[in-house]
Amino acid sequence: MNEYFKKHKVLLMAWVFFAVLKTIAAVLFALYMQKMIDAVSAMDAQKMLHTSIAGVVIVVCYAAFGYVGSYFEMKFSQKVLVDVRQDICKSIVSTDLDSYRLHKSAEYTSILNNDIGMLDEKYFLCLPNIVIQILTFLIATVTLYQMEPWLAFSAILLCAVPLIVPFLFGKQISARQKSYIHVLDWYNGKLKNIWNGYEVIKSYHVEREILTDYEKCNWEVERTHFSVRNTQNMSRSISGGVGFLIDVCMMGIAGILVLKGYVTVGILIATIQLMNYIQTPIQWISKLLADYKTSQPVLKRVTDILNLPKDADHGEKLKTALPISVENLRFSYEEGEEVLHNLSVTFEPGKKYAIVGNSGSGKSTFMYVLMHYYNHFEGEIRFGSQSISDIQKKELYRSIALIHQNVVVLDGTLRDNVSLYESYSDENIKQALIRAGMGDYLNEKGLDFTIQESGSNLSGGEKQRIAIARAFLRNTPVMILDEATSSLDSLMAAKIEQTVLQSDTTILNIVHQLKADSLKQYDEILVFSKGAIIERGNYDELIQKDGIFRSLLSVMSA
């Protein structure tokens, strides 16, 4: 995290510089009070006038330095927060799927929404403030020493006591803060489930049950938060009580020195004023050290996210995407639980392949491995003559368009959702939408139509057609459809499938509706079962066998 301090060191130094000037102005005000009291005691009107003018100048400087210092503090905080959030988001987006799935999406949301605010207050602002408070303490103590060394020595000895308090509560606060962070992750997950499942909640009329579950979660969040705050409050209360005790002791020592004639009443008043800048920094340091302790679990979690392994993008440029050769492919999500078993298949240029099988048979997983979403597989995958492990991933993604089961639409225009912010002409975008069956929609809405959050103003079929239009727009040599027409009516699905099959693109289509008329148009059908290809051939070849394909087709037809 030190790099963020270094990156914005000019703002940081400006903040500390003006904070120190503000402290100097405050100390000078204490000296002003000493001079004014002594001038009043001596009945010196001229000295009182000069001192009053100096006091006004000091107050103006104090206010000006305070404003400028706070301005630079806020700018430093702003810059650091923007950078940290950007770097966290970049780290998440840049990591590979295996590393991404080590954390829940609610955890990522909690880090960006909650942890960053804690880190700003209890780390990025905390450490410079500790430095500022130390400098304030030193300036005030040196000034007091110039007035009366015994008062300065007494202040140093007494003010060391509050520094012990954070170390008494540090571990307890840190442990409770860690617990609070985990509960916040749980809370964010609950909220995500409510918003994503809102239609299910309403249709099954389970509002009461959801609210009961939410109430438990809500109370647990506040219980753990209260636990953290209560421990911090105990630490601060003890520090504050010790601080007042120090004031009593210092007043007693200064009073004795006045009675014995070692110092004037003006110095007594100045001492009281200076003690604010000796004792208060110690109290602040005590609080800031406690805050720093609570930041450690958050700091570690954010650092872990920032250090997620980057999705390797080294390797060669892709020479040709076809043919795709798969030999003895094995894959496991978790060690010891193999989900793809010894797959071997070749996809030839321009041919159309239908991939069928029951749910959970490994069809989608196979496609994701082909896309190199996962690195840990056994066997060989080759694109042309190149091994997949030697090819840059971005090169691979430019040559393969994958239409996912779960379509994601963005907050933005129809144009942006199809182009995904890449540079394509409006004419090409329109043609892609027309091929995807959205011609009438395009004529009615236009490319500048705004799509709302999560596509709330789109039907399921419209979302799916946008995803298909994205693939058409890229015009890649290979197109993979992962049940891409499952949300469309049968007529629209057949029309889009026909458009896809008439292209020169190599098609790998995971088919969810087995219809003889469409399946006859595929060059080869691969039948998956329990992570293996158990049958393969064209429609006529497979239908003559009394195998899994024929059984699946019979079930679908029934």
Side-chain angles (χ1 to χ4, degrees):
M1 289 292 175
N2 291 336
E3 63 267 23
Y4 296 106
F5 289 108
K6 293 176 182 177
K7 184 176 180 180
H8 302 292
K9 60 185 178 184
V10 174
L11 288 172
L12 179 61
M13 291 169 64
W15 167 24
V16 174
F17 176 73
F18 280 98
V20 170
L21 288 181
K22 178 185 174 184
T23 295
I24 292 172
V27 169
L28 289 175
F29 188 78
L31 297 177
Y32 151 78
M33 293 184 70
Q34 177 206 341
K35 299 296 183 184
M36 178 60 76
I37 294 297
D38 288 343
V40 170
S41 299
M43 303 296 289
D44 189 337
Q46 187 175 9
K47 189 175 181 180
M48 287 172 57
L49 177 62
H50 293 161
T51 305
S52 297
I53 294 171
V56 171
V57 173
I58 290 169
V59 169
V60 171
C61 290
Y62 178 86
F65 295 150
Y67 170 78
V68 177
S70 295
Y71 173 82
F72 283 117
E73 177 186 4
M74 291 186 293
K75 290 300 291 184
F76 171 78
S77 174
Q78 178 194 53
K79 297 282 188 180
V80 168
L81 286 180
V82 168
D83 285 350
V84 175
R85 280 200 181 97
Q86 190 68 29
D87 288 347
I88 289 173
C89 190
K90 181 180 178 182
S91 181
I92 295 170
V93 171
S94 302
T95 196
D96 56 73
L97 272 173
D98 286 343
S99 300
Y100 173 80
R101 286 174 174 164
L102 292 174
H103 306 271
K104 296 179 181 178
S105 59
E107 183 178 347
Y108 293 127
T109 302
S110 182
I111 287 171
L112 287 167
N113 285 341
N114 304 318
D115 291 11
I116 295 303
M118 294 183 198
L119 210 57
D120 178 46
E121 178 187 352
K122 298 180 180 182
Y123 182 77
F124 289 115
L125 296 182
C126 179
L127 292 179
N129 266 312
I130 288 175
V131 173
I132 290 169
Q133 296 305 323
I134 290 172
L135 291 174
T136 299
F137 171 81
L138 291 175
I139 291 169
T141 303
V142 169
T143 304
L144 185 58
Y145 179 84
Q146 296 296 323
M147 292 181 177
E148 173 52 55
W150 281 110
L151 289 174
F153 288 137
S154 300
I156 292 171
L157 290 173
L158 291 170
C159 287
V161 177
L163 292 176
I164 301 171
V165 177
F167 296 99
L168 297 176
F169 292 90
K171 289 184 178 179
Q172 190 177 7
I173 292 173
S174 181
R176 293 184 178 185
Q177 182 71 35
K178 189 174 181 179
S179 175
Y180 175 54
I181 291 169
H182 289 313
V183 171
L184 278 178
D185 288 346
W186 177 49
Y187 176 78
N188 283 322
K190 288 286 184 184
L191 286 181
K192 181 182 175 183
N193 289 338
I194 292 172
W195 308 146
N196 290 344
Y198 190 78
E199 292 177 3
V200 175
I201 293 168
K202 300 300 288 186
S203 61
Y204 282 87
H205 195 54
V206 291
E207 293 94 338
R208 181 183 299 173
E209 289 76 8
I210 291 297
L211 286 173
T212 300
D213 187 46
Y214 175 79
E215 184 178 19
K216 293 176 183 177
C217 182
N218 189 20
W219 269 109
E220 185 62 18
V221 168
E222 291 309 318
R223 186 193 67 78
T224 53
H225 191 202
F226 177 83
S227 178
V228 174
R229 292 168 63 191
N230 188 45
T231 309
Q232 290 174 330
N233 182 50
M234 191 180 300
S235 174
R236 291 167 187 170
S237 297
I238 292 173
S239 295
V242 171
F244 279 114
L245 188 60
I246 290 170
D247 281 341
V248 172
C249 293
M250 285 300 297
M251 283 292 292
I253 294 169
I256 291 170
L257 292 175
V258 170
L259 291 175
K260 292 193 172 184
Y262 292 120
V263 297
T264 65
V265 175
I267 290 178
L268 172 63
I269 299 301
T271 299
I272 296 170
Q273 184 69 17
L274 285 172
M275 280 305 297
N276 290 327
Y277 302 100
I278 295 175
Q279 178 199 329
T280 302
I282 294 299
Q283 291 178 340
W284 266 100
I285 291 170
S286 178
K287 172 190 174 298
L288 292 168
L289 286 174
D291 286 346
Y292 178 75
K293 287 280 186 182
T294 64
S295 76
Q296 294 310 292
V298 181
L299 185 64
K300 182 182 184 305
R301 195 162 81 143
V302 171
T303 302
D304 288 344
I305 297 300
L306 287 172
N307 292 332
L308 283 173
K310 300 296 180 287
D311 198 0
D313 202 22
H314 54 76
E316 307 168 354
K317 288 187 177 295
L318 181 64
K319 296 174 184 176
T320 177
L322 295 159
I324 304 173
S325 303
V326 180
E327 297 178 10
N328 304 318
L329 176 65
R330 296 177 181 275
F331 175 77
S332 304
Y333 286 110
E334 297 179 4
E335 189 174 350
E337 298 181 13
E338 192 172 271
V339 294
L340 296 180
H341 314 296
N342 201 35
L343 303 184
S344 294
V345 63
T346 298
F347 300 106
E348 300 290 345
K351 290 190 175 182
K352 320 302 178 192
Y353 299 87
I355 299 170
V356 303
N358 289 319
S359 177
S361 59
K363 307 184 299 295
S364 297
T365 299
F366 175 56
M367 294 305 172
Y368 295 153
V369 175
L370 278 186
M371 289 291 292
H372 207 183
Y373 283 1
Y374 304 101
N375 301 316
H376 58 285
F377 61 85
E378 297 178 21
E380 184 67 35
I381 302 174
R382 304 188 73 84
F383 288 81
S385 61
Q386 296 171 279
S387 172
I388 192 172
S389 57
D390 296 331
I391 303 169
Q392 292 181 14
K393 286 188 177 181
K394 64 181 179 182
E395 288 284 314
L396 196 63
Y397 298 157
R398 286 180 184 142
S399 299
I400 303 176
L402 173 60
I403 305 174
H404 297 80
Q405 290 179 8
N406 300 319
V407 180
V408 175
V409 292
L410 312 172
D411 298 353
T413 63
L414 179 60
R415 177 191 292 103
D416 292 338
N417 267 279
V418 177
S419 68
L420 294 178
Y421 304 105
E422 292 192 50
S423 298
Y424 292 99
S425 69
D426 283 358
E427 185 59 33
N428 286 338
I429 296 172
K430 289 176 181 178
Q431 287 302 316
L433 285 165
I434 292 170
R435 290 181 69 193
M438 293 194 73
D440 292 342
Y441 188 90
L442 175 65
N443 292 333
E444 180 185 350
K445 304 292 186 180
L447 289 177
D448 292 317
F449 175 70
T450 299
I451 294 173
Q452 296 173 3
E453 180 184 0
S454 301
S456 59
N457 55 342
L458 297 174
S459 68
E462 287 165 349
K463 293 178 187 178
Q464 207 149 39
R465 278 179 276 169
I466 286 175
I468 293 168
R470 291 170 183 167
F472 283 149
L473 180 61
R474 275 148 187 77
N475 194 28
T476 56
V478 180
M479 184 185 297
I480 299 174
L481 297 89
D482 188 358
E483 301 187 3
T485 58
S486 59
S487 294
L488 304 180
D489 61 76
S490 57
L491 185 63
M492 180 59 70
K495 183 178 179 181
I496 290 176
E497 186 175 21
Q498 194 63 34
T499 302
V500 168
L501 292 173
Q502 288 174 352
S503 69
D504 296 329
T505 302
T506 298
I507 302 298
L508 282 65
N509 186 11
I510 297 177
V511 181
H512 67 287
Q513 294 180 353
L514 302 186
K515 295 183 178 180
D517 290 342
S518 63
L519 288 170
K520 288 177 181 178
Q521 300 180 69
Y522 287 90
D523 296 294
E524 190 171 11
I525 301 169
L526 305 178
V527 183
F528 273 67
S529 179
K530 297 180 180 179
I533 300 174
I534 58 170
E535 292 177 9
R536 59 193 301 174
N538 61 34
Y539 177 83
D540 291 332
E541 292 169 345
L542 292 177
I543 204 65
Q544 291 175 9
K545 299 178 182 179
D546 189 15
I548 296 292
F549 176 74
R550 186 166 180 173
S551 298
L552 287 172
L553 192 63
S554 298
V555 171
M556 289 286 186
S557 300

